[in-house]
Amino acid sequence: RIIPRDKRLFLHNKPVIQYVVEEAQRSGLSDVIFVTNRDKSVIEDYFDHNLQLEDILEREGKTALLKLIQDVAEMVNVISVRQKEQKGLGHAIMCARSVVGNEPFATSVGDDLIFSGTPGIKQLLDVAYSEDKPVVGVMEVPWDSVSRYGIVDAEECGFGIYKVNSLVEKPAREEAPSRLAIVGRYVLTPDIFDILERQAPGYGGEIQLTDGLQTLCKQSKMVAVDFEGRRYDTGNLKGFLEATIDFALDHPETGAWLKSYIKDKAATQLPSSSITAKS
Ligand code: G1P
């Protein structure tokens, strides 16, 4: 199971959330729980059949398009729960408690994109099975970015695998125990729910998952996995642009064209006034 928070941004020809769901599906997960709010019911509709549109496409003989939208609707079982107040990632996860029940589950933050050979969640699941412990996905980030992430204090115990000693949400650079940052992928055990129910608000006055994980870590040990792959935070503009450009450069339809477009642009060096005038 997976609990993404969501964004409606499009990357190339698909919404960002679709890449996150595809990663879960390729990892072998079949049930997706979206934790949404009142503005985001469009997401559950997107992953459902639209019989009216399918009918039109069929009548018009647009079979390729028809297959495309039917495949999206068949991708996973969609369950949706509402987070009625925005009280943090830990609170969002508690909203899914009654649906998840007493089973381990995976969580994805819906605006963190991971492009990798082995899907991001699968990399975590493999370690969760072999170690029989909760797992968080991490990546090294520059020191001047540590205050934007949950940071782990950990010791490497295998290639890219760490034993977690403690976790802290968005520490100041001087207080960060390392620059190993949590990047929005987790495999958790249901005991996190009782912990989160009792969790006092932390950073930003919100119920932080990282604070709950700190308690879980003391109770049942925890492992961090340094992902293989590229990660983009599409929740901020620069991360979204990086993902868009890298994706288009790698894509057979757009790669060669974008390379020469960027080269031409860089060579022309448009005066900033003409860019402002056009935008
Ligand atoms: C959340 C988590 C943080 C994690 C980050 C990854 O923060 O609280 O620990 O490092 O996702 O994207 P947010 O980005 O919601 O502030």
Side-chain angles (χ1 to χ4, degrees):
R1 290 201 175 89
I2 172 178
I3 308 175
R5 290 187 294 161
D6 48 13
K7 279 280 177 292
R8 260 178 282 169
L9 292 172
F10 263 67
L11 182 63
H12 196 76
N13 57 354
K14 289 188 268 189
V16 165
I17 193 70
Q18 188 172 338
Y19 295 93
V20 179
V21 171
E22 285 173 354
E23 179 198 324
Q25 185 200 30
R26 290 198 296 127
S27 300
L29 303 179
S30 54
D31 298 332
V32 172
I33 305 165
F34 290 110
V35 180
T36 63
N37 62 33
R38 56 181 300 120
D39 302 323
K40 292 171 182 159
S41 54
V42 66
I43 292 168
E44 60 205 72
D45 293 343
Y46 179 79
F47 289 97
D48 197 357
H49 282 285
N50 180 338
L51 296 180
Q52 206 181 356
L53 180 60
E54 288 177 29
D55 202 38
I56 294 171
L57 293 175
E58 192 162 13
R59 269 189 278 128
E60 292 181 354
K62 295 183 174 160
T63 43
L65 262 181
L66 177 64
K67 177 157 183 345
L68 200 85
I69 66 161
Q70 283 175 333
D71 284 351
V72 173
E74 297 294 327
M75 200 173 274
V76 283
N77 298 325
V78 169
I79 305 149
S80 193
V81 296
R82 286 280 181 105
Q83 184 184 21
K84 295 182 185 164
E85 294 165 275
Q86 303 301 302
K87 291 205 279 192
L89 181 55
H91 178 257
I93 287 176
M94 272 196 300
C95 293
R97 178 174 196 164
S98 62
V99 187
V100 172
N102 200 28
E103 285 180 51
F105 60 102
T107 294
S108 291
V109 172
D111 44 22
D112 269 326
L113 273 186
I114 312 277
F115 288 140
S116 50
T118 306
I121 283 285
K122 174 83 168 52
Q123 295 181 42
L124 263 54
L125 283 171
D126 289 346
V127 177
Y129 285 128
S130 65
E131 299 285 324
D132 199 20
K133 292 188 181 71
V135 179
V136 293
V138 294
M139 274 186 180
E140 274 195 348
V141 297
W143 278 108
D144 59 7
S145 305
V146 290
S147 61
R148 290 175 22 211
Y149 296 93
I151 298 291
V152 301
D153 172 21
E155 291 157 44
E156 193 156 14
C157 57
F159 183 69
I161 300 177
Y162 296 78
K163 175 183 159 298
V164 178
N165 297 322
S166 63
L167 309 93
V168 53
E169 180 69 5
K170 301 195 173 76
R173 179 186 172 145
E174 318 66 68
E175 277 151 32
S178 78
R179 56 191 186 96
L180 273 183
I182 303 172
V183 287
R185 297 291 184 275
Y186 311 79
V187 173
L188 302 174
T189 44
D191 31 347
I192 190 67
F193 291 121
D194 277 342
I195 295 171
L196 287 172
E197 297 283 357
R198 290 192 294 267
Q199 186 63 55
Y203 183 92
E206 296 186 334
I207 308 291
Q208 295 295 345
L209 176 59
T210 307
D211 295 341
L213 293 180
Q214 167 68 3
T215 308
L216 186 64
C217 169
K218 298 290 171 232
Q219 279 177 11
S220 58
K221 309 283 180 234
M222 184 176 296
V223 176
V225 173
D226 193 349
F227 283 112
E228 165 272 310
R230 283 178 295 167
R231 174 259 175 188
Y232 302 92
D233 177 5
T234 62
N236 78 62
L237 183 60
K238 281 187 189 158
F240 179 68
L241 290 174
E242 279 167 10
T244 304
I245 292 170
D246 285 1
F247 194 89
L249 283 173
D250 282 350
H251 200 282
E253 269 173 35
T254 46
W257 163 80
L258 184 59
K259 248 178 235 160
S260 79
Y261 180 77
I262 292 172
K263 245 199 213 148
D264 288 354
K265 279 280 161 194
T268 333
Q269 282 186 346
L270 284 176
S272 55
S273 56
S274 71
I275 297 174
T276 320
K278 278 183 196 160
S279 60

